[in-house]
Amino acid sequence: MKRILFISFILLAFWRCNDDDVFSFGSLMSQENIHFKAQPGGAMMYYKLPDESDIFGINVRYKDARNIEVLKTSDYGGDSLFLDGFNEACQGITARVTLVDNKGNESTAMEVTFNTEESAPYAFIDRAKVLPSWGGFQVLYESPGQASGMAHIFYLGTNPLTQEPDTILVKSFPILKGGDTLTFPLAQMREKNTIIVRTEDFRGYRVGQKIWPDIETYISEKLPLTMDNFDAGGKSLERDDLKVGLKYLFDGDLKGNQRMVTGKSKEMFTFLAGPDAVGKPMFVDLEEERVPASIRIYGILNMKLAKPAGNPWNQFPEARMPCDVIVYGGNDKNGNTWDRLGTFVQSPTLTPLDRWNYPCDQNNSGGSVNDLETLEAAEPCYMEVSFFASPARYRYLKIVVNDTFELGGGYASLQGDFGNHENYVAMHELEVYVKKD
């Protein structure tokens, strides 16, 4: 009898030992403790593990858009998993959820389903727009809240090595949250181009491709203008003794050559509007309806000439140059219908070195022009207001200078005495560019 009891005890102990190696949670995880939220390219799974000491983690298995088995894991410290790998929006994706102990044993699988939203690479191909641009083309795209993946932009051109037709890569870039507007100038100029856009996910799989044929490239050219094309709104300062007037605005002198030749700092050979020209419209007559591309406003370069007293706009022309400009287009000069074409804005108190007109600034002592030879070798200084490429045509441009720079650097303390208190606007030269017909 004792032998039988002993054998029974040994068998019971052995059974219990084996039972300890069998993974059992007592009860499976409830589906009420799992819920999903569709996301771009997948879904976020939120879960709450049962309050049992045996549970170490959770496994989720599903097949992605390429029918590849995916395993997502998390330990007891987590409460969510992102189930990714999808492109277009899907409904009822099946997944299997198991609980895991600290030895890697898994419970019986529980089946769940979830929905997804379209991924950023898929949305890029589906919603991107390719439009004409000046000297190239533009790509506009929108991206969902959770951006991922890469985009590759190509055009059909000529391979510079083989001189054969080829697909030329312009740029590869990560897709940004919210979207972007990108402009691509082309070295190989054609009137029309074929644009190819490809996208891929961060695993390197291609998501999609789309081709836009016959995208027009806008070519710009400078429009010949004279003083008869410009209306300063009655604000042009005409002083022959100072060589200031409207006739100098389109005379082709971009840097101040005439002033350097005469050597007289009093004579500016430039255009000046004022007083009270800031905020007042000035008009350019394009003579017929044209597609405007941009305008350039030049500044007279800083010259090492004696500065005459009594004329602050002569001594410090940089403090009369525009820092905030808006350009409008319209077909009725006296009407109220004007389309905003472009803007240029810099802070009036910006550090002189960072201003567009620094080569014109008295603070630029190291860059001052000392003689005509140096002047002719120097680059002109200008600000450019570029316009969006559009087929819209306009007869008139309206230019509004909303602000000018303040004196900066070592001359900031002179702002009170020599600042632009009378709201003059200095423009050494004005150029207008339009689409070449």
PDB file of all heavy atoms in Angstrom, residues 79-111:
ATOM      1  N   ASP A  79       0.999  49.720 -24.396  1.00  0.00           N
ATOM      2  CA  ASP A  79      -0.462  49.685 -24.506  1.00  0.00           C
ATOM      3  C   ASP A  79      -0.936  49.933 -25.927  1.00  0.00           C
ATOM      4  O   ASP A  79      -2.124  50.112 -26.169  1.00  0.00           O
ATOM      5  CB  ASP A  79      -1.103  50.694 -23.553  1.00  0.00           C
ATOM      6  CG  ASP A  79      -0.729  52.139 -23.882  1.00  0.00           C
ATOM      7  OD1 ASP A  79       0.036  52.364 -24.849  1.00  0.00           O
ATOM      8  OD2 ASP A  79      -1.184  53.036 -23.155  1.00  0.00           O
ATOM      9  N   SER A  80       0.009  49.993 -26.902  1.00  0.00           N
ATOM     10  CA  SER A  80      -0.408  50.225 -28.287  1.00  0.00           C
ATOM     11  C   SER A  80       0.649  49.692 -29.245  1.00  0.00           C
ATOM     12  O   SER A  80       1.833  49.568 -28.896  1.00  0.00           O
ATOM     13  CB  SER A  80      -0.632  51.718 -28.541  1.00  0.00           C
ATOM     14  OG  SER A  80       0.572  52.447 -28.354  1.00  0.00           O
ATOM     15  N   LEU A  81       0.226  49.396 -30.462  1.00  0.00           N
ATOM     16  CA  LEU A  81       1.091  48.952 -31.548  1.00  0.00           C
ATOM     17  C   LEU A  81       0.609  49.585 -32.846  1.00  0.00           C
ATOM     18  O   LEU A  81      -0.598  49.684 -33.083  1.00  0.00           O
ATOM     19  CB  LEU A  81       1.065  47.426 -31.689  1.00  0.00           C
ATOM     20  CG  LEU A  81       1.900  46.602 -30.714  1.00  0.00           C
ATOM     21  CD1 LEU A  81       1.534  45.125 -30.860  1.00  0.00           C
ATOM     22  CD2 LEU A  81       3.384  46.811 -30.965  1.00  0.00           C
ATOM     23  N   PHE A  82       1.555  50.017 -33.701  1.00  0.00           N
ATOM     24  CA  PHE A  82       1.179  50.544 -35.012  1.00  0.00           C
ATOM     25  C   PHE A  82       1.314  49.434 -36.037  1.00  0.00           C
ATOM     26  O   PHE A  82       2.405  48.895 -36.255  1.00  0.00           O
ATOM     27  CB  PHE A  82       2.045  51.736 -35.393  1.00  0.00           C
ATOM     28  CG  PHE A  82       1.662  52.365 -36.700  1.00  0.00           C
ATOM     29  CD1 PHE A  82       0.346  52.768 -36.932  1.00  0.00           C
ATOM     30  CD2 PHE A  82       2.588  52.547 -37.703  1.00  0.00           C
ATOM     31  CE1 PHE A  82      -0.038  53.343 -38.128  1.00  0.00           C
ATOM     32  CE2 PHE A  82       2.231  53.124 -38.910  1.00  0.00           C
ATOM     33  CZ  PHE A  82       0.913  53.529 -39.119  1.00  0.00           C
ATOM     34  N   LEU A  83       0.212  49.089 -36.687  1.00  0.00           N
ATOM     35  CA  LEU A  83       0.188  48.039 -37.698  1.00  0.00           C
ATOM     36  C   LEU A  83       0.282  48.703 -39.063  1.00  0.00           C
ATOM     37  O   LEU A  83      -0.701  49.226 -39.595  1.00  0.00           O
ATOM     38  CB  LEU A  83      -1.104  47.220 -37.573  1.00  0.00           C
ATOM     39  CG  LEU A  83      -1.478  46.751 -36.146  1.00  0.00           C
ATOM     40  CD1 LEU A  83      -2.726  45.892 -36.184  1.00  0.00           C
ATOM     41  CD2 LEU A  83      -0.318  46.011 -35.492  1.00  0.00           C
ATOM     42  N   ASP A  84       1.493  48.733 -39.620  1.00  0.00           N
ATOM     43  CA  ASP A  84       1.729  49.456 -40.866  1.00  0.00           C
ATOM     44  C   ASP A  84       1.952  48.498 -42.020  1.00  0.00           C
ATOM     45  O   ASP A  84       1.789  47.286 -41.883  1.00  0.00           O
ATOM     46  CB  ASP A  84       2.917  50.403 -40.719  1.00  0.00           C
ATOM     47  CG  ASP A  84       4.194  49.664 -40.325  1.00  0.00           C
ATOM     48  OD1 ASP A  84       4.132  48.450 -40.111  1.00  0.00           O
ATOM     49  OD2 ASP A  84       5.250  50.312 -40.243  1.00  0.00           O
ATOM     50  N   GLY A  85       2.340  49.075 -43.174  1.00  0.00           N
ATOM     51  CA  GLY A  85       2.615  48.265 -44.356  1.00  0.00           C
ATOM     52  C   GLY A  85       1.532  48.307 -45.404  1.00  0.00           C
ATOM     53  O   GLY A  85       1.511  47.467 -46.310  1.00  0.00           O
ATOM     54  N   PHE A  86       0.624  49.293 -45.328  1.00  0.00           N
ATOM     55  CA  PHE A  86      -0.498  49.380 -46.260  1.00  0.00           C
ATOM     56  C   PHE A  86      -0.414  50.663 -47.083  1.00  0.00           C
ATOM     57  O   PHE A  86       0.185  51.653 -46.666  1.00  0.00           O
ATOM     58  CB  PHE A  86      -1.822  49.317 -45.494  1.00  0.00           C
ATOM     59  CG  PHE A  86      -1.990  48.033 -44.719  1.00  0.00           C
ATOM     60  CD1 PHE A  86      -1.572  47.948 -43.390  1.00  0.00           C
ATOM     61  CD2 PHE A  86      -2.524  46.909 -45.329  1.00  0.00           C
ATOM     62  CE1 PHE A  86      -1.704  46.770 -42.682  1.00  0.00           C
ATOM     63  CE2 PHE A  86      -2.654  45.722 -44.618  1.00  0.00           C
ATOM     64  CZ  PHE A  86      -2.242  45.646 -43.295  1.00  0.00           C
ATOM     65  N   ASN A  87      -1.012  50.672 -48.251  1.00  0.00           N
ATOM     66  CA  ASN A  87      -0.961  51.810 -49.161  1.00  0.00           C
ATOM     67  C   ASN A  87      -2.330  52.476 -49.294  1.00  0.00           C
ATOM     68  O   ASN A  87      -2.565  53.534 -48.736  1.00  0.00           O
ATOM     69  CB  ASN A  87      -0.433  51.372 -50.523  1.00  0.00           C
ATOM     70  CG  ASN A  87       1.007  50.887 -50.434  1.00  0.00           C
ATOM     71  OD1 ASN A  87       1.811  51.459 -49.702  1.00  0.00           O
ATOM     72  ND2 ASN A  87       1.338  49.831 -51.156  1.00  0.00           N
ATOM     73  N   GLU A  88      -3.247  51.836 -50.035  1.00  0.00           N
ATOM     74  CA  GLU A  88      -4.574  52.424 -50.157  1.00  0.00           C
ATOM     75  C   GLU A  88      -5.416  52.118 -48.919  1.00  0.00           C
ATOM     76  O   GLU A  88      -5.094  51.222 -48.140  1.00  0.00           O
ATOM     77  CB  GLU A  88      -5.256  51.917 -51.426  1.00  0.00           C
ATOM     78  CG  GLU A  88      -5.234  50.425 -51.597  1.00  0.00           C
ATOM     79  CD  GLU A  88      -5.688  50.032 -52.984  1.00  0.00           C
ATOM     80  OE1 GLU A  88      -6.723  50.565 -53.433  1.00  0.00           O
ATOM     81  OE2 GLU A  88      -5.018  49.211 -53.619  1.00  0.00           O
ATOM     82  N   ALA A  89      -6.472  52.888 -48.744  1.00  0.00           N
ATOM     83  CA  ALA A  89      -7.363  52.670 -47.606  1.00  0.00           C
ATOM     84  C   ALA A  89      -8.050  51.308 -47.735  1.00  0.00           C
ATOM     85  O   ALA A  89      -8.561  50.958 -48.802  1.00  0.00           O
ATOM     86  CB  ALA A  89      -8.395  53.782 -47.530  1.00  0.00           C
ATOM     87  N   CYS A  90      -8.042  50.537 -46.661  1.00  0.00           N
ATOM     88  CA  CYS A  90      -8.609  49.179 -46.675  1.00  0.00           C
ATOM     89  C   CYS A  90      -9.595  49.009 -45.522  1.00  0.00           C
ATOM     90  O   CYS A  90      -9.496  49.682 -44.495  1.00  0.00           O
ATOM     91  CB  CYS A  90      -7.510  48.133 -46.556  1.00  0.00           C
ATOM     92  SG  CYS A  90      -6.285  48.176 -47.884  1.00  0.00           S
ATOM     93  N   GLN A  91     -10.522  48.071 -45.712  1.00  0.00           N
ATOM     94  CA  GLN A  91     -11.500  47.742 -44.687  1.00  0.00           C
ATOM     95  C   GLN A  91     -11.368  46.261 -44.315  1.00  0.00           C
ATOM     96  O   GLN A  91     -11.156  45.414 -45.169  1.00  0.00           O
ATOM     97  CB  GLN A  91     -12.930  48.003 -45.198  1.00  0.00           C
ATOM     98  CG  GLN A  91     -13.188  49.423 -45.668  1.00  0.00           C
ATOM     99  CD  GLN A  91     -13.283  50.391 -44.514  1.00  0.00           C
ATOM    100  OE1 GLN A  91     -13.880  50.082 -43.488  1.00  0.00           O
ATOM    101  NE2 GLN A  91     -12.707  51.578 -44.694  1.00  0.00           N
ATOM    102  N   GLY A  92     -11.520  45.949 -43.017  1.00  0.00           N
ATOM    103  CA  GLY A  92     -11.608  44.574 -42.557  1.00  0.00           C
ATOM    104  C   GLY A  92     -10.344  43.762 -42.707  1.00  0.00           C
ATOM    105  O   GLY A  92     -10.412  42.569 -43.039  1.00  0.00           O
ATOM    106  N   ILE A  93      -9.173  44.356 -42.467  1.00  0.00           N
ATOM    107  CA  ILE A  93      -7.921  43.603 -42.480  1.00  0.00           C
ATOM    108  C   ILE A  93      -7.913  42.657 -41.262  1.00  0.00           C
ATOM    109  O   ILE A  93      -8.196  43.072 -40.140  1.00  0.00           O
ATOM    110  CB  ILE A  93      -6.701  44.527 -42.425  1.00  0.00           C
ATOM    111  CG1 ILE A  93      -6.733  45.517 -43.589  1.00  0.00           C
ATOM    112  CG2 ILE A  93      -5.411  43.723 -42.426  1.00  0.00           C
ATOM    113  CD1 ILE A  93      -6.609  44.883 -44.935  1.00  0.00           C
ATOM    114  N   THR A  94      -7.569  41.406 -41.500  1.00  0.00           N
ATOM    115  CA  THR A  94      -7.580  40.398 -40.428  1.00  0.00           C
ATOM    116  C   THR A  94      -6.211  40.315 -39.754  1.00  0.00           C
ATOM    117  O   THR A  94      -5.175  40.318 -40.425  1.00  0.00           O
ATOM    118  CB  THR A  94      -7.960  39.024 -40.980  1.00  0.00           C
ATOM    119  OG1 THR A  94      -9.250  39.097 -41.581  1.00  0.00           O
ATOM    120  CG2 THR A  94      -7.981  37.985 -39.867  1.00  0.00           C
ATOM    121  N   ALA A  95      -6.228  40.215 -38.419  1.00  0.00           N
ATOM    122  CA  ALA A  95      -5.006  40.019 -37.643  1.00  0.00           C
ATOM    123  C   ALA A  95      -5.261  38.976 -36.567  1.00  0.00           C
ATOM    124  O   ALA A  95      -6.405  38.757 -36.148  1.00  0.00           O
ATOM    125  CB  ALA A  95      -4.561  41.337 -37.009  1.00  0.00           C
ATOM    126  N   ARG A  96      -4.187  38.304 -36.121  1.00  0.00           N
ATOM    127  CA  ARG A  96      -4.272  37.304 -35.063  1.00  0.00           C
ATOM    128  C   ARG A  96      -3.467  37.796 -33.867  1.00  0.00           C
ATOM    129  O   ARG A  96      -2.281  38.136 -33.997  1.00  0.00           O
ATOM    130  CB  ARG A  96      -3.735  35.956 -35.550  1.00  0.00           C
ATOM    131  CG  ARG A  96      -4.440  35.443 -36.804  1.00  0.00           C
ATOM    132  CD  ARG A  96      -3.937  34.082 -37.252  1.00  0.00           C
ATOM    133  NE  ARG A  96      -2.486  33.990 -37.324  1.00  0.00           N
ATOM    134  CZ  ARG A  96      -1.757  34.448 -38.337  1.00  0.00           C
ATOM    135  NH1 ARG A  96      -2.367  35.073 -39.345  1.00  0.00           N
ATOM    136  NH2 ARG A  96      -0.453  34.296 -38.346  1.00  0.00           N
ATOM    137  N   VAL A  97      -4.118  37.816 -32.709  1.00  0.00           N
ATOM    138  CA  VAL A  97      -3.505  38.332 -31.482  1.00  0.00           C
ATOM    139  C   VAL A  97      -3.271  37.169 -30.525  1.00  0.00           C
ATOM    140  O   VAL A  97      -4.171  36.357 -30.269  1.00  0.00           O
ATOM    141  CB  VAL A  97      -4.407  39.386 -30.821  1.00  0.00           C
ATOM    142  CG1 VAL A  97      -3.774  39.888 -29.529  1.00  0.00           C
ATOM    143  CG2 VAL A  97      -4.671  40.538 -31.783  1.00  0.00           C
ATOM    144  N   THR A  98      -2.054  37.067 -29.990  1.00  0.00           N
ATOM    145  CA  THR A  98      -1.749  36.059 -28.970  1.00  0.00           C
ATOM    146  C   THR A  98      -1.046  36.732 -27.801  1.00  0.00           C
ATOM    147  O   THR A  98      -0.355  37.750 -27.968  1.00  0.00           O
ATOM    148  CB  THR A  98      -0.828  34.949 -29.532  1.00  0.00           C
ATOM    149  OG1 THR A  98       0.398  35.540 -29.983  1.00  0.00           O
ATOM    150  CG2 THR A  98      -1.501  34.213 -30.674  1.00  0.00           C
ATOM    151  N   LEU A  99      -1.220  36.154 -26.612  1.00  0.00           N
ATOM    152  CA  LEU A  99      -0.502  36.590 -25.421  1.00  0.00           C
ATOM    153  C   LEU A  99       0.741  35.720 -25.260  1.00  0.00           C
ATOM    154  O   LEU A  99       0.765  34.557 -25.679  1.00  0.00           O
ATOM    155  CB  LEU A  99      -1.397  36.493 -24.201  1.00  0.00           C
ATOM    156  CG  LEU A  99      -2.689  37.332 -24.254  1.00  0.00           C
ATOM    157  CD1 LEU A  99      -3.535  37.077 -23.025  1.00  0.00           C
ATOM    158  CD2 LEU A  99      -2.374  38.806 -24.396  1.00  0.00           C
ATOM    159  N   VAL A 100       1.771  36.255 -24.648  1.00  0.00           N
ATOM    160  CA  VAL A 100       3.066  35.593 -24.572  1.00  0.00           C
ATOM    161  C   VAL A 100       3.551  35.576 -23.125  1.00  0.00           C
ATOM    162  O   VAL A 100       3.398  36.574 -22.397  1.00  0.00           O
ATOM    163  CB  VAL A 100       4.104  36.317 -25.451  1.00  0.00           C
ATOM    164  CG1 VAL A 100       5.409  35.530 -25.505  1.00  0.00           C
ATOM    165  CG2 VAL A 100       3.556  36.538 -26.855  1.00  0.00           C
ATOM    166  N   ASP A 101       4.149  34.424 -22.711  1.00  0.00           N
ATOM    167  CA  ASP A 101       4.763  34.386 -21.388  1.00  0.00           C
ATOM    168  C   ASP A 101       6.255  34.703 -21.500  1.00  0.00           C
ATOM    169  O   ASP A 101       6.771  34.957 -22.592  1.00  0.00           O
ATOM    170  CB  ASP A 101       4.501  33.046 -20.702  1.00  0.00           C
ATOM    171  CG  ASP A 101       5.288  31.894 -21.337  1.00  0.00           C
ATOM    172  OD1 ASP A 101       6.051  32.143 -22.316  1.00  0.00           O
ATOM    173  OD2 ASP A 101       5.145  30.749 -20.879  1.00  0.00           O
ATOM    174  N   ASN A 102       6.962  34.650 -20.360  1.00  0.00           N
ATOM    175  CA  ASN A 102       8.371  35.045 -20.376  1.00  0.00           C
ATOM    176  C   ASN A 102       9.287  34.024 -21.031  1.00  0.00           C
ATOM    177  O   ASN A 102      10.483  34.268 -21.179  1.00  0.00           O
ATOM    178  CB  ASN A 102       8.851  35.336 -18.955  1.00  0.00           C
ATOM    179  CG  ASN A 102       8.707  34.130 -18.045  1.00  0.00           C
ATOM    180  OD1 ASN A 102       8.240  33.071 -18.479  1.00  0.00           O
ATOM    181  ND2 ASN A 102       9.084  34.292 -16.794  1.00  0.00           N
ATOM    182  N   LYS A 103       8.741  32.873 -21.421  1.00  0.00           N
ATOM    183  CA  LYS A 103       9.519  31.875 -22.135  1.00  0.00           C
ATOM    184  C   LYS A 103       9.222  31.888 -23.630  1.00  0.00           C
ATOM    185  O   LYS A 103       9.753  31.082 -24.387  1.00  0.00           O
ATOM    186  CB  LYS A 103       9.232  30.481 -21.576  1.00  0.00           C
ATOM    187  CG  LYS A 103       9.666  30.317 -20.120  1.00  0.00           C
ATOM    188  CD  LYS A 103       9.350  28.917 -19.621  1.00  0.00           C
ATOM    189  CE  LYS A 103       9.752  28.762 -18.150  1.00  0.00           C
ATOM    190  NZ  LYS A 103       9.420  27.390 -17.644  1.00  0.00           N
ATOM    191  N   GLY A 104       8.346  32.808 -24.057  1.00  0.00           N
ATOM    192  CA  GLY A 104       7.997  32.896 -25.466  1.00  0.00           C
ATOM    193  C   GLY A 104       6.841  32.030 -25.871  1.00  0.00           C
ATOM    194  O   GLY A 104       6.491  31.972 -27.048  1.00  0.00           O
ATOM    195  N   ASN A 105       6.219  31.327 -24.922  1.00  0.00           N
ATOM    196  CA  ASN A 105       5.040  30.531 -25.246  1.00  0.00           C
ATOM    197  C   ASN A 105       3.863  31.450 -25.548  1.00  0.00           C
ATOM    198  O   ASN A 105       3.681  32.490 -24.903  1.00  0.00           O
ATOM    199  CB  ASN A 105       4.692  29.605 -24.086  1.00  0.00           C
ATOM    200  CG  ASN A 105       5.821  28.630 -23.804  1.00  0.00           C
ATOM    201  OD1 ASN A 105       6.331  27.973 -24.712  1.00  0.00           O
ATOM    202  ND2 ASN A 105       6.218  28.545 -22.536  1.00  0.00           N
ATOM    203  N   GLU A 106       3.038  31.046 -26.503  1.00  0.00           N
ATOM    204  CA  GLU A 106       1.915  31.873 -26.923  1.00  0.00           C
ATOM    205  C   GLU A 106       0.589  31.199 -26.608  1.00  0.00           C
ATOM    206  O   GLU A 106       0.465  29.974 -26.635  1.00  0.00           O
ATOM    207  CB  GLU A 106       1.987  32.161 -28.420  1.00  0.00           C
ATOM    208  CG  GLU A 106       3.169  33.008 -28.836  1.00  0.00           C
ATOM    209  CD  GLU A 106       3.134  33.365 -30.312  1.00  0.00           C
ATOM    210  OE1 GLU A 106       2.284  34.190 -30.697  1.00  0.00           O
ATOM    211  OE2 GLU A 106       3.949  32.807 -31.070  1.00  0.00           O
ATOM    212  N   SER A 107      -0.382  32.036 -26.339  1.00  0.00           N
ATOM    213  CA  SER A 107      -1.737  31.545 -26.094  1.00  0.00           C
ATOM    214  C   SER A 107      -2.423  31.227 -27.416  1.00  0.00           C
ATOM    215  O   SER A 107      -1.885  31.468 -28.495  1.00  0.00           O
ATOM    216  CB  SER A 107      -2.539  32.607 -25.343  1.00  0.00           C
ATOM    217  OG  SER A 107      -2.784  33.719 -26.187  1.00  0.00           O
ATOM    218  N   THR A 108      -3.616  30.712 -27.316  1.00  0.00           N
ATOM    219  CA  THR A 108      -4.437  30.501 -28.512  1.00  0.00           C
ATOM    220  C   THR A 108      -4.702  31.847 -29.174  1.00  0.00           C
ATOM    221  O   THR A 108      -4.969  32.851 -28.506  1.00  0.00           O
ATOM    222  CB  THR A 108      -5.766  29.830 -28.145  1.00  0.00           C
ATOM    223  OG1 THR A 108      -5.490  28.597 -27.480  1.00  0.00           O
ATOM    224  CG2 THR A 108      -6.608  29.586 -29.382  1.00  0.00           C
ATOM    225  N   ALA A 109      -4.626  31.895 -30.491  1.00  0.00           N
ATOM    226  CA  ALA A 109      -4.789  33.152 -31.221  1.00  0.00           C
ATOM    227  C   ALA A 109      -6.242  33.617 -31.212  1.00  0.00           C
ATOM    228  O   ALA A 109      -7.168  32.811 -31.307  1.00  0.00           O
ATOM    229  CB  ALA A 109      -4.307  32.984 -32.650  1.00  0.00           C
ATOM    230  N   MET A 110      -6.404  34.929 -31.085  1.00  0.00           N
ATOM    231  CA  MET A 110      -7.718  35.552 -31.194  1.00  0.00           C
ATOM    232  C   MET A 110      -7.731  36.407 -32.466  1.00  0.00           C
ATOM    233  O   MET A 110      -6.801  37.186 -32.713  1.00  0.00           O
ATOM    234  CB  MET A 110      -7.978  36.433 -29.966  1.00  0.00           C
ATOM    235  CG  MET A 110      -9.315  37.166 -30.033  1.00  0.00           C
ATOM    236  SD  MET A 110      -9.639  38.091 -28.502  1.00  0.00           S
ATOM    237  CE  MET A 110      -8.265  39.228 -28.494  1.00  0.00           C
ATOM    238  N   GLU A 111      -8.755  36.270 -33.295  1.00  0.00           N
ATOM    239  CA  GLU A 111      -8.822  36.984 -34.564  1.00  0.00           C
ATOM    240  C   GLU A 111      -9.522  38.322 -34.382  1.00  0.00           C
ATOM    241  O   GLU A 111     -10.572  38.418 -33.750  1.00  0.00           O
ATOM    242  CB  GLU A 111      -9.556  36.138 -35.609  1.00  0.00           C
ATOM    243  CG  GLU A 111      -9.457  36.715 -37.019  1.00  0.00           C
ATOM    244  CD  GLU A 111     -10.021  35.785 -38.071  1.00  0.00           C
ATOM    245  OE1 GLU A 111      -9.321  34.815 -38.444  1.00  0.00           O
ATOM    246  OE2 GLU A 111     -11.175  36.013 -38.499  1.00  0.00           O
TER     247      GLU A 111
END
